[in-house]
Amino acid sequence: MMELLSPAGGYEALVAAVQSGADAVYMGFGAFNARRGARNFTDEEFASAVQYCHLRGVRVFLTLNTLVTDRELPAAADALRRANAIGVDAVLVQDWGLLALAREIVPDLPLHASTQMSLFTLGGANEAAALGMERVVLARELSRDEVREICAGCKAEVEIFGHGALCMCYSGQCEMSAVLGQRSGNRGACAQPCRLPYGVDAPCRGAYPLSLKDANLSAYLQDMERMGVDCLKIEGRLKRPEYVAVVTGIYRRLLDERRLPTAEESAALEQAFSRSGFTDGYWLGRKGKAMFGTRPENVPEPKELFARARETYENGKENRKIPVNLRLTVRRGKPVRLSGACAVRNGVTIALATGDTPEEARNRAVTAEELAQRLSKTGGTVFTADSVEVELDEGLMVSASAVNGLRRELLDELAARRQDIPKRRELPASPLPDAPAGAERMAFTVSIARADQLTEALLAEKPAIVYIPAELLDTMDLSACAGRTELCAVLPRVFRTADEQPLRAILERHPEVTSVTVGNWGHMPIVRGLGKTLRGDLGLNVYNSRAVAFWRERGLTSVTASLELRWQQVRDLGKYADCEAVIYGRLPLMITENCVTKNNVGCTHGAGSVLTDRMGAQFPVLCAYGCRCEIENGKVLVLADKPEVFRCGLRYGRLRFTTETAEECAAILRAHNAGTITADADTTRGLFYRGVE
């Protein structure tokens, strides 16, 4: 049966999840998880929580799924070691450097690829599996047909989100909270700017074009099981324990009874939490305005529903009774023996307790029925006697206290074995080799969004690399570029399994394009074997030196530093590959499956739209590959007038052209070459000096 995975943002929520029927829980401790706003757990609480869960047959997954700086890696390594020693069942990761470190220092600890890795293709899922990931958590935006295709071909387990909040942006690709408020969603501190009002090609007047309803896929559980989904995740580590209990309990019943939710259950799910109801739009492949909704402030608590929920797990309520088969042997002249067995994941736990030799009865001999009745009294434990067998020679006597003592000893032993910590290796982390020196001089590269931006005037300024969206290549005459610059194809940040072969075919048709970007795990099957230079793009979220080394080992010649890093952090990156950073242009804030433009003003056939917030700030919305859209920052990043950008050891500084005219593109590159670029009120320094939480 499909595993039901529930959130545990604190100890009470953990108990609520377990007592409501979760097969597994996901939880965090420390600073390295994608819900730092949740209460989370101290080390001691976490160890206790793992024991609590394992006793009841519930698995525990630790979330270490945030981006980590070089300075934070030692603490993250300590968290991995603690998780390994405590006996967690798996760790979710996003950061490439942390992934490489985990494989080295705790090689036996199972790893899951977090949804923050932005996995949405079969190729990407299998790349993660080839790295040793036991499970991949797919992007929420996939349809059921796309999930089915991945399940059929993926070499790892597949987990999907079944209930709870939907991010407007693809997980792992959102920079809106970071750029606008220094609170990084990639580091567990998202301020949820998508829940605020915006206008689309109009002033902000209270519409919420970025606020998606919560997902509710409770009607499709049997479909998921048939297609091979291994795990259904309930989102909500910031939610109340009562919410966890209500939602987990309903999904537990639906899975066990293999049925659709009743009207009463659907109403309870909506009462527990919703935003103008729910959506199943992505699952059904139906995007549009119907997927959007808000939650008014001061929504009254569903007191009756939550009170009933608390009754199911508070005050030591134990719903997770473990069936035990007991067998008592009482033979004349031999010690009394009590054996017991209970099921555990993929096996059976067996224990044995031995007592004194039984005495001859002086008055009345004990009966098998009396012994069975005593053994059945398992109250105060998580066990319940499922079957009791008694082998008894006639005429013997065994005291009630002796039987009770054997029962307690046996059940204690079974409990201890269920909580056994697996034997796993813990190895030292090998230091990174000395990194090559960074580049002494930074060359300028340019990326274009439209074919008309690549002109003779731009080429005359001799950009080191011109990045061109792969989907534009067939529409462009690139002969004028021959021998003048490196042409690099930019693969789309978001695509689907069906796009893999068409994208590869485009690259094969253009030998004049000598390099290609890798911005997602799913790009690797597309580019492998083409003989082109591979360059890491922004979508990889390269955040630390081990991440640079990780991608260099996989054949990348250069990587692009995360735009969340301060200049000192960029400077200190080990330059195991050439490093690039965006130093000019509008920073990408979101890439969305739902088209903001089409939903609100109708399709503009590539022209995009403009998003306006409450303060009047405007954000261009550009069309992206596959009828998706990319929201750009309203202010243009300018860094090349600052000396620090030239002290970072960067091989390349990228000028990211989006809304600029062809004439502006050439003029801006010319100003960079001449050292005359300047900042004004409409420009920003981004996060180059501020960094993020």
Side-chain angles (χ1 to χ4, degrees):
M1 182 181 288
M2 188 163 56
E3 182 176 66
L4 179 60
L5 176 60
S6 293
Y11 208 97
E12 188 180 358
L14 171 89
V15 172
V18 171
Q19 295 302 330
S20 300
D23 296 309
V25 295
Y26 61 103
M27 48 205 284
F29 71 87
F32 306 112
N33 72 91
R35 287 293 181 269
R36 283 195 281 159
R39 182 183 176 277
N40 293 310
F41 294 78
T42 65
D43 286 6
E44 291 179 358
E45 288 173 336
F46 196 86
S48 173
V50 172
Q51 295 289 293
Y52 177 89
C53 290
H54 283 177
L55 176 58
R56 291 159 179 82
V58 176
R59 298 206 291 167
V60 177
F61 304 147
L62 173 64
T63 55
L64 289 180
N65 55 339
T66 63
L67 299 178
V68 183
T69 66
D70 277 325
R71 287 191 177 184
E72 292 168 337
L73 270 173
D78 288 343
L80 283 167
R81 293 188 182 98
R82 291 197 299 274
N84 196 50
I86 288 169
V88 301
D89 296 279
V91 174
L92 284 87
V93 294
Q94 171 194 12
D95 188 281
W96 307 109
L98 186 60
L99 164 62
L101 190 62
R103 288 276 60 99
E104 183 177 350
I105 67 175
V106 285
D108 305 320
L109 180 60
L111 298 180
H112 292 177
S114 168
T115 189
Q116 293 286 119
M117 276 192 177
S118 307
L119 295 173
F120 35 68
T121 63
L122 177 57
N126 278 332
E127 290 293 317
L131 269 182
M133 300 290 210
E134 294 193 359
R135 177 179 291 181
V136 295
V137 186
L138 299 181
R140 296 166 171 89
E141 289 84 353
L142 293 174
S143 72
R144 58 184 172 188
D145 291 338
E146 291 160 345
V147 172
R148 182 182 294 108
E149 182 177 23
I150 294 173
C151 287
C154 185
K155 298 177 177 64
E157 292 181 353
V158 171
E159 175 180 312
I160 67 170
F161 282 83
H163 194 97
L166 292 172
C167 296
M168 182 62 178
C169 181
Y170 275 82
S171 291
Q173 301 301 311
C174 186
E175 298 292 352
M176 197 165 193
S177 179
V179 170
L180 300 186
Q182 291 184 262
R183 293 179 56 183
S184 169
N186 290 317
R187 287 168 57 78
C190 181
Q192 296 192 313
C194 54
R195 303 301 178 190
L196 298 175
Y198 300 89
V200 181
D201 282 353
C204 177
R205 294 195 177 98
Y208 293 82
L210 305 183
S211 181
L212 285 161
K213 296 177 181 178
D214 282 20
N216 177 352
L217 302 185
S218 58
Y220 308 103
L221 304 185
Q222 293 178 52
D223 289 345
M224 295 174 192
E225 286 198 280
R226 282 192 292 267
M227 68 177 64
V229 172
D230 296 284
C231 178
L232 180 81
K233 174 179 282 184
I234 297 169
E235 184 277 335
R237 273 192 294 148
L238 295 177
K239 297 290 199 306
R240 299 177 52 142
E242 297 91 336
Y243 168 90
V244 175
V246 170
V247 178
T248 300
I250 290 173
Y251 274 81
R252 177 76 276 152
R253 293 193 295 273
L254 299 183
L255 285 168
D256 289 347
E257 298 167 20
R258 304 184 65 80
R259 62 173 175 81
L260 298 175
T262 64
E264 183 180 3
E265 287 168 331
S266 294
L269 290 172
E270 189 163 347
Q271 266 192 290
F273 190 92
S274 74
R275 291 182 171 90
S276 312
F278 295 111
T279 181
D280 54 8
Y282 285 144
W283 183 253
L284 297 180
R286 299 173 185 166
K287 296 176 284 188
K289 292 193 71 172
M291 290 187 65
F292 291 78
T294 59
R295 184 171 178 82
E297 294 183 10
N298 302 317
V299 176
E301 175 189 308
K303 292 184 179 179
E304 185 177 339
L305 176 67
F306 280 2
R308 291 198 305 269
R310 286 191 294 272
E311 291 174 0
T312 66
Y313 66 84
E314 282 187 339
N315 302 317
K317 181 81 170 181
E318 188 60 68
N319 305 316
R320 299 297 289 259
K321 290 290 187 178
I322 310 300
V324 180
N325 297 324
L326 300 173
R327 183 182 184 88
L328 182 69
T329 303
V330 183
R331 297 294 188 194
R332 186 170 275 103
K334 295 182 179 180
V336 176
R337 289 165 51 91
L338 177 62
S339 62
C342 61
V344 292
R345 183 178 173 84
N346 300 323
V348 175
T349 296
I350 299 173
L352 175 68
T354 304
D356 296 331
T357 302
E359 299 178 359
E360 296 292 333
R362 296 174 183 162
N363 297 312
R364 187 178 68 83
V366 71
T367 66
E369 290 75 15
E370 289 171 329
L371 292 172
Q373 186 177 22
R374 291 170 189 169
L375 291 173
S376 297
K377 295 178 180 179
T378 59
T381 74
V382 300
F383 299 102
T384 183
D386 190 43
S387 68
V388 180
E389 295 182 35
V390 177
E391 294 184 7
L392 173 65
D393 287 347
E394 293 183 359
L396 297 178
M397 185 62 204
V398 181
S399 69
S401 60
V403 174
N404 293 341
L406 282 174
R407 185 192 65 233
R408 283 194 297 270
E409 181 182 344
L410 179 88
L411 296 182
D412 286 347
E413 178 64 20
L414 282 175
R417 293 190 180 185
R418 292 176 70 85
Q419 297 174 92
D420 272 348
I421 296 173
K423 294 181 180 179
R424 295 171 176 159
R425 292 171 292 171
E426 182 182 309
L427 305 175
S430 58
L432 285 169
D434 291 339
E440 293 184 6
R441 179 179 176 276
M442 182 175 67
F444 297 123
T445 69
V446 300
S447 66
I448 63 171
R450 306 185 312 274
D452 67 277
Q453 291 172 323
L454 180 57
T455 61
E456 175 60 34
L458 184 71
L459 291 170
E461 295 301 322
K462 299 181 180 179
I465 304 172
V466 176
Y467 293 97
I468 305 172
E471 62 269 26
L472 295 183
L473 292 176
D474 286 343
T475 70
M476 300 175 68
D477 179 4
L478 300 173
S479 58
C481 304
R484 303 175 67 182
T485 186
E486 176 186 325
L487 298 180
C488 183
V490 178
L491 290 171
R493 263 204 295 169
V494 176
F495 58 104
R496 289 295 187 266
T497 302
D499 299 317
E500 291 176 346
Q501 286 306 314
L503 288 170
R504 184 177 177 91
I506 291 173
L507 299 177
E508 290 171 338
R509 286 196 293 271
H510 292 277
E512 73 278 18
V513 177
T514 57
S515 58
V516 60
T517 63
V518 172
N520 182 274
W521 252 131
H523 288 160
M524 291 302 288
I526 297 173
V527 304
R528 192 172 282 124
L530 290 178
K532 296 184 186 292
T533 299
L534 305 182
R535 299 193 176 279
D537 209 354
L538 278 173
L540 294 182
N541 291 324
V542 171
Y543 221 79
N544 54 63
S545 298
R546 287 188 182 270
V548 178
F550 174 91
W551 283 109
R552 184 67 188 94
E553 290 169 4
R554 278 146 190 84
L556 271 61
T557 298
S558 66
V559 298
T560 306
S562 166
L563 55 82
E564 295 183 10
L565 295 175
R566 295 192 307 276
W567 75 269
Q568 297 95 332
Q569 294 167 325
V570 176
R571 177 197 63 196
D572 294 342
L573 283 178
K575 304 304 190 289
Y576 301 102
D578 288 339
C579 288
E580 182 170 10
V582 175
I583 64 167
Y584 169 87
R586 297 185 188 277
L587 297 178
L589 302 184
M590 285 189 180
I591 183 162
T592 73
E593 184 67 20
N594 255 291
C595 181
V596 175
T597 306
K598 182 178 179 181
N599 286 347
N600 294 278
V601 298
C603 182
T604 58
H605 304 289
S609 58
V610 175
L611 203 65
T612 303
D613 71 8
R614 297 169 299 171
M615 308 303 293
Q618 295 189 324
F619 305 89
V621 181
L622 305 185
C623 295
Y625 180 83
C627 290
R628 300 175 181 94
C629 68
E630 186 172 270
I631 301 172
E632 313 295 334
N633 194 21
K635 292 192 173 185
V636 174
L637 177 76
V638 172
L639 293 178
D641 61 330
K642 291 291 187 179
E644 290 85 0
V645 77
F646 298 97
R647 301 210 301 262
C648 291
L650 293 168
R651 179 69 180 86
Y652 303 111
R654 188 185 307 182
L655 282 54
R656 187 174 187 270
F657 296 133
T658 52
T659 59
E660 290 85 356
T661 65
E663 293 75 18
E664 287 171 335
C665 292
I668 291 164
L669 178 55
R670 188 177 304 117
H672 276 80
N673 283 331
T676 58
I677 190 73
T678 57
D680 58 33
D682 291 326
T683 61
T684 178
R685 304 301 185 183
L687 298 164
F688 196 65
Y689 294 101
R690 298 181 297 156
V692 294
E693 290 184 22

